[in-house]
Amino acid sequence: MNKSLENRLKLIAGDSNVRCDEPMSSHCTFRAGGTAKYYVIPDEYKKVRDVLRLCVEENIPYYVIGNGSNLLVQDDGFDGVIIEIDSALAKIEINGNEIVAKAGAKLSKIAVKALNESLTGFEFAHGIPGNLGGAVTMNAGAYGGEMKDVLKWVKVLDNEGNIITLDASELEMGYRTSIIEKKGYIVLQARIGLNIGFSEDIGLIMQMFMQKRRASQPLEYPSAGSTFKRPEGYFAGKLIDDAGLRGYRVGGAMVSEKHCGFVINYDNATATDVINLMKDVQAKVKEKFDVQLEPEVRII
C-alpha cells in the first residue's frame, strides 16, 4: 500500500472518506467482484476535481462509479482509485418545471420529487436502479423514454480537471452513449426540463412501469440489469433465448429464466463466473445467428 498516496487522498477527501482494499461486491448491484486498492467518497465538486488531478499527476488508474448498477470489478480487483459519486453528492432542487440535481441523486428519488411537484416526463426513469451521473453518461432509458428527452444542460469535470457546462445540443446522445461517455468526462450535475401534469396520472404511470418490471425482470436476484446492448434489428434477450441459453449456468452465475437479457448472481457467483458466462453467451449467439452481442455492463 502506498501510504503517501493514501495520506494525500485523505488530505483531500477526509480520513473517513478514504478506504483501502475495499470490497467492490458491496458497491455493485451484481454483489460480486474483487477489491479496490483505494476507495474515495468526495462530498464536494472541488474534492472530486482534486482527487482526479492527483490520480493524473501520479499516473494512478481511476474509475468513477455511482450506484454500481452497471459495473463488474474483476476478481483480482482494481489496482487504483475508485471515486464514488453517490449519496454525498445527491442534492435535488426544484425550480418551476425544472429539476437541478447532483450526479449522485438516485433516479427513483428524482422521479418521486417530480411526482410530488406534479411534473411529468420522468416517469420512465423511476425503476432504473442507478444514479443521475451514470444515467446521463449512458443515456439511460426505458419504456419509450430516454435521458436525452429531458436534459437541458450537464455540468461535467473534463480530463484536465476543469468544470464545464454542456448544453443539451452538445451532448451527442445516442443509444447508451453520449459525448460524456466518449470523452471520459465525469458528470457533476444536470438540469432536467419537465412539463406540468397531474400527480394522480403521473403516479399511475410510475406504478404501471414498476409492475411491468416486477413481472418481466428477475429483480429478486443481484444483477446489473440488461447485460448486453440491443443489437440493431434484434433483441438481445430473444437471441439468447433462441440460442437455447435460458437458465444456462456457469458457477453461481445464470442466464435468468424470467428474462434472458439478464445475467443474474444466482448462487454466490464470482465475477469470473459472470464474465465466463457472458463470453459463452456471446460465442453461442455469434455461432447460431452471426450477431455479435456487445456488453452493456462495464467490466474493470
Side-chain angles (χ1 to χ4, degrees), residues 69-144:
S69 59
N70 203 30
L71 179 70
L72 183 64
V73 178
Q74 295 187 53
D75 289 322
D76 56 1
F78 183 70
D79 190 24
V81 178
I82 295 287
I83 305 168
E84 179 199 284
I85 299 181
D86 196 33
S87 55
L89 286 167
K91 188 175 181 181
I92 303 169
E93 296 178 314
I94 307 290
N95 183 10
N97 67 333
E98 296 186 332
I99 296 177
V100 176
K102 292 187 176 180
K106 289 184 169 40
L107 297 180
S108 56
K109 289 192 175 180
I110 298 173
V112 169
K113 280 271 192 183
L115 166 65
N116 292 340
E117 298 294 325
S118 299
L119 297 176
T120 183
F122 206 71
E123 294 90 335
F124 73 91
H126 176 55
I128 299 175
N131 292 357
L132 180 63
V136 170
T137 302
M138 297 305 294
N139 187 25
Y143 300 116

Side-chain angles (χ1 to χ4, degrees), residues 234-259:
Y234 299 92
F235 291 99
K238 187 174 189 317
L239 287 170
I240 295 166
D241 192 11
D242 290 347
L245 294 170
R246 183 181 294 269
Y248 176 73
R249 290 182 62 172
V250 173
M254 185 171 84
V255 174
S256 169
E257 294 179 320
K258 194 172 189 179
H259 188 317

Side-chain angles (χ1 to χ4, degrees), residues 72 74-75 250 269-277:
L72 183 64
Q74 295 187 53
D75 289 322
V250 173
T270 63
T272 303
D273 291 341
V274 175
I275 292 166
N276 286 339
L277 186 149

Side-chain angles (χ1 to χ4, degrees), residues 96-272:
N97 67 333
E98 296 186 332
I99 296 177
V100 176
K102 292 187 176 180
K106 289 184 169 40
L107 297 180
S108 56
K109 289 192 175 180
I110 298 173
V112 169
K113 280 271 192 183
L115 166 65
N116 292 340
E117 298 294 325
S118 299
L119 297 176
T120 183
F122 206 71
E123 294 90 335
F124 73 91
H126 176 55
I128 299 175
N131 292 357
L132 180 63
V136 170
T137 302
M138 297 305 294
N139 187 25
Y143 300 116
E146 294 179 289
M147 293 303 300
K148 72 179 180 65
D149 301 330
V150 296
L151 289 172
K152 295 295 185 181
W153 55 251
V154 180
K155 189 173 289 186
V156 302
L157 196 65
D158 70 12
N159 298 314
E160 283 73 50
N162 303 306
I163 296 175
I164 58 176
T165 300
L166 299 171
D167 186 76
S169 62
E170 302 175 272
L171 295 175
E172 296 180 14
M173 303 191 93
Y175 176 64
R176 302 299 177 261
T177 189
S178 68
I179 195 169
I180 298 164
E181 190 260 343
K182 293 170 188 169
K183 296 206 170 188
Y185 293 160
I186 299 170
V187 176
L188 299 176
Q189 189 180 45
R191 181 181 290 272
I192 297 163
L194 302 174
N195 297 309
I196 302 297
F198 297 98
S199 58
E200 294 84 357
D201 295 340
I202 296 165
L204 284 172
I205 292 169
M206 286 166 58
Q207 186 179 22
M208 179 183 69
F209 286 165
M210 280 308 299
Q211 286 172 346
K212 282 186 176 181
R213 285 183 184 277
R214 292 191 187 102
S216 64
Q217 299 178 7
L219 303 182
E220 65 272 28
Y221 292 102
S223 78
S226 296
T227 308
F228 299 99
K229 294 180 181 179
R230 186 179 68 242
E232 190 172 350
Y234 299 92
F235 291 99
K238 187 174 189 317
L239 287 170
I240 295 166
D241 192 11
D242 290 347
L245 294 170
R246 183 181 294 269
Y248 176 73
R249 290 182 62 172
V250 173
M254 185 171 84
V255 174
S256 169
E257 294 179 320
K258 194 172 189 179
H259 188 317
C260 292
F262 284 61
V263 172
I264 60 174
N265 185 342
Y266 181 74
D267 184 17
N268 297 313
T270 63
T272 303

